[in-house]
Amino acid sequence: LNILMVVKHRGGESGISQVGVSNQLIVTPSNMTKMIDKLEKKGLVRRTALPGDRRVRRVKVTQAGSELLDSLWPGYLRVLQQLVAAVPQKKQRQLAVLLTEWLEKMER
């Protein structure tokens, strides 16, 4: 699910490199290759070589992958909301600040 979300929302129309996906999810490139292989076999993503640099593989979500994400999102969101609701509001705000700082550092 997380790989598909990154590929769809970070990659957009042009796709995202496999290394880019692994960086976003803090997974080693070799493990990412194995996971993307499985998604590709299921028809959820497709890989293409980057024009001018065939070493770089761009990953794009397929229509089937996008539809799967769209169907899973409401249930996933519901579970996240339940988990957050279990945390007192003061701690939610503290967590939001920490996560925002962490994500901003990851994007550098």
Side-chain angles (χ1 to χ4, degrees), residues 91-106:
K91 292 200 182 241
Q92 286 180 29
R93 284 190 286 277
Q94 292 171 337
L95 180 59
V97 168
L98 290 171
L99 287 173
T100 300
E101 289 176 7
W102 181 60
L103 290 170
E104 285 173 353
K105 289 180 182 179
M106 282 182 63

Side-chain angles (χ1 to χ4, degrees), residues 26-85:
I26 315 171
V27 176
T28 64
S30 62
N31 283 339
M32 184 56 55
T33 298
K34 293 173 192 172
M35 290 185 274
I36 291 175
D37 284 346
K38 291 177 184 178
L39 291 173
E40 191 173 38
K41 284 179 185 171
K42 292 179 179 184
L44 302 173
V45 299
R46 74 180 190 293
R47 287 184 274 206
T48 57
L50 183 66
D53 189 349
R54 295 179 50 172
R55 296 170 297 169
V56 177
R57 304 288 287 172
R58 304 288 294 176
V59 184
K60 296 180 185 179
V61 71
T62 63
Q63 183 66 33
S66 187
E67 289 171 2
L68 178 62
L69 275 176
D70 291 347
S71 71
L72 293 175
W73 183 251
Y76 183 73
L77 183 59
R78 219 175 3 265
V79 169
L80 287 176
Q81 289 169 334
Q82 290 169 351
L83 292 171
V84 169

